Amino acid sequence: MKDLRPIRTEEEYESALAEASDFVDHEPLPGTKKADRFEMLIMLIEAYEAKHYDIAPPDPIEAIKFRMEQAGLTPKDLQPMIGGLNRVYEILNRKRPLTLKMIWKLHSMLGIPAQSLIQQADELRAA
């Protein structure tokens, strides 16, 4: 096993991914040297990705739909956060923008990150 060091190039990144993939296929026992190497390798990969692959927050409506799917919610369940069922469907169908009050309630009641909810559709298209 070669020494671990920061990933600086795309070639080193690809090599690290290949090694990590082997560990995923044959996961080492916790507490072993191989398990420690796997954990360190994952940290190096994550650090490289954070620096080189900017991931934009999800579209607000997609974030809401994803949370609904995760929690098994229906549009009716969103009424306390958004308003009447009519308004819920307008939001989900992108006919009406989220208000600050809706964003706050969705964030506090469903745990959807506020950053995901405040991004406007026109900002998403420009990104």
Side-chain angles (χ1 to χ4, degrees):
M1 279 197 265
K2 62 183 179 179
D3 290 334
L4 289 177
R5 58 189 182 89
I7 299 170
R8 293 188 178 94
T9 66
E10 192 68 23
E11 190 175 276
E12 291 172 345
Y13 171 68
E14 293 296 330
S15 176
L17 285 177
E19 185 178 348
S21 178
D22 288 341
F23 281 125
V24 169
D25 293 340
H26 305 28
E27 193 167 337
L29 293 172
T32 64
K33 286 184 180 185
K34 285 186 178 187
D36 290 346
R37 181 175 180 83
F38 181 40
E39 188 174 344
M40 293 298 295
L41 194 58
I42 294 300
M43 285 191 255
L44 291 170
I45 290 169
E46 287 174 347
Y48 182 84
E49 288 175 343
K51 185 175 181 182
H52 293 81
Y53 298 103
D54 187 27
I55 299 174
D59 168 78
I61 304 307
E62 292 306 315
I64 294 168
K65 289 178 179 179
F66 178 73
R67 185 66 183 114
M68 287 174 67
E69 186 179 317
Q70 278 185 322
L73 301 174
T74 65
K76 187 175 181 180
D77 297 320
L78 297 181
Q79 285 182 288
M81 293 148 267
I82 294 178
L85 200 52
N86 240 14
R87 178 140 312 150
V88 171
Y89 281 112
E90 288 176 340
I91 296 293
L92 293 177
N93 290 320
R94 303 171 193 276
K95 303 290 184 198
R96 177 185 293 267
L98 290 168
T99 66
L100 187 56
K101 187 175 180 179
M102 291 175 196
I103 289 168
W104 176 251
K105 286 183 177 182
L106 288 163
H107 170 67
S108 61
M109 295 174 79
L110 294 182
I112 300 172
Q115 182 182 7
S116 297
L117 294 170
I118 61 175
Q119 191 168 12
Q120 295 296 314
D122 54 338
E123 290 174 338
L124 289 169
R125 284 188 215 108

